[in-house]
Amino acid sequence: MPPPRTYRAESLVLKSIPLGEADLLVTLFTREAGKVRAVGKGARRPTAKLVGHLEPVTAARLHLSRGRSLDVINQAETLNSFRSLKTNLTAITRGLQVCELVDGFGSEASPNEPLYDLAQATLSAIGRAPEDEFPLLHFQLHLLNVSGLMPELQYCVGCRGNIEPDRHRYSLDGGGIFCPDCLPDQAGLRPLSLRALKVLRLLSRSSPSELPSLHLDAALSQELKSILTGTLQYWLDREIRTNSFLNQLARADRG
């Protein structure tokens, strides 16, 4: 039996680009169907009913029709505009990175409800604490988890032995931490301080609604970002575009 001609989907709008004179080509990540590309007919007209519902970093309930190559958005109802997130430049850039990473790791026509729920919870957490780094760091680590790529942070990947403090290395492409006896010959091998390891382990046990309240000095913050961004970029096989702007904002904040 063929799938129904129309369907409803709870969606996160990842990105949208102009199409033709008045349409929008929208990339969605849906709870029900994974990543979907669809057209909002006339959505760029000021009087269109879809205006505002298809902005990136917006959760919406959509009614769609299946097309040959692209589905068509018929109706939209905003569920969460994440308004508080969008009033802060750093926070909206972090929100856009969440969407960029969901776009990179999400699969078309392949639902991943844990990823959908993680993204929604992360955007809400960023909105509650726009200046806090932990929601995005938590998302980056747990994105790897819900994608089946979680790095090993407790034991040596090679021998499964216990990790001794300050006698370990982290491998971007080897799956986590190695002890000195099992160090692989890989270009992605880099040092990981004990402080950073403890924070990563803490984040791995935390939920978006119960993030740790810790102060990260500049060196520790940069180390964590480097490890997580490096791992994500290894699996994506490309740079994270929003990361460079986040780095510019961080440098500006430090004066």
Side-chain angles (χ1 to χ4, degrees):
M1 179 181 296
R5 178 85 173 87
T6 63
Y7 65 100
R8 295 182 182 275
E10 185 180 329
S11 311
L12 175 63
V13 181
L14 303 181
K15 62 183 180 183
S16 59
I17 59 174
L19 182 66
E21 293 185 0
D23 300 342
L24 274 178
L25 176 59
V26 185
T27 302
L28 309 164
F29 192 71
T30 71
R31 179 186 295 279
E32 296 83 357
K35 194 161 64 173
V36 172
R37 293 202 308 156
V39 176
K41 297 285 188 180
R44 289 161 53 213
R45 295 192 180 102
T47 57
K49 293 182 179 180
L50 295 177
V51 168
H53 298 294
L54 302 181
E55 291 182 353
V57 198
T58 299
R61 183 177 290 111
L62 305 178
H63 183 275
L64 302 101
S65 299
R66 301 184 191 277
R68 290 185 178 179
S69 57
L70 296 170
D71 293 351
V72 177
I73 302 169
N74 302 314
Q75 298 176 14
E77 173 193 358
T78 296
L79 300 175
N80 194 337
S81 65
F82 302 104
R83 188 175 302 277
S84 60
L85 177 153
K86 294 174 181 176
T87 61
N88 180 285
L89 183 57
T90 299
I92 184 58
T93 307
R94 288 172 176 154
L96 289 169
Q97 181 164 131
V98 169
C99 290
E100 179 184 354
L101 291 172
V102 171
D103 188 20
F105 282 86
S107 300
E108 294 190 20
S110 179
N112 186 336
E113 286 194 31
L115 175 54
Y116 183 87
D117 291 339
L118 174 65
Q120 295 277 353
T122 300
L123 294 173
S124 295
I126 293 172
R128 289 192 300 269
E131 303 299 332
D132 193 347
E133 294 181 276
F134 276 107
L136 184 57
L137 293 173
H138 177 277
F139 173 79
Q140 291 173 333
L141 182 61
H142 284 263
L143 170 61
L144 292 166
N145 187 33
V146 299
S147 302
L149 302 169
M150 184 69 170
E152 175 59 65
L153 300 173
Q154 299 295 330
Y155 305 101
C156 172
V157 174
C159 66
R160 305 302 299 170
N162 291 323
I163 294 296
E164 297 182 23
D166 293 326
R167 298 192 72 244
H168 57 269
R169 290 292 184 271
Y170 181 88
S171 174
L172 298 180
D173 48 354
I177 298 173
F178 285 86
C179 71
D181 296 331
C182 297
L183 291 180
D185 184 17
Q186 293 171 324
L189 200 65
R190 61 177 64 186
L192 176 68
S193 72
L194 181 59
R195 291 196 306 160
L197 177 57
K198 287 182 176 180
V199 173
L200 289 174
R201 287 174 172 175
L202 181 60
L203 286 173
S204 73
R205 301 191 298 268
S206 304
S207 69
S209 61
E210 297 178 339
L211 292 171
S213 178
L214 297 173
H215 171 71
L216 299 179
D217 59 42
L220 180 55
S221 173
Q222 184 56 43
E223 182 180 6
L224 290 166
K225 292 174 184 177
S226 176
I227 288 290
L228 289 171
T229 299
T231 304
L232 291 166
Q233 290 182 159
Y234 168 76
W235 290 111
L236 281 174
D237 196 26
R238 66 172 184 266
E239 291 188 0
I240 300 170
R241 295 188 301 274
T242 47
N243 207 51
S244 59
F245 189 54
L246 277 176
N247 289 336
Q248 291 178 29
L249 293 174
R251 288 194 294 269
D253 288 341
R254 290 196 295 268

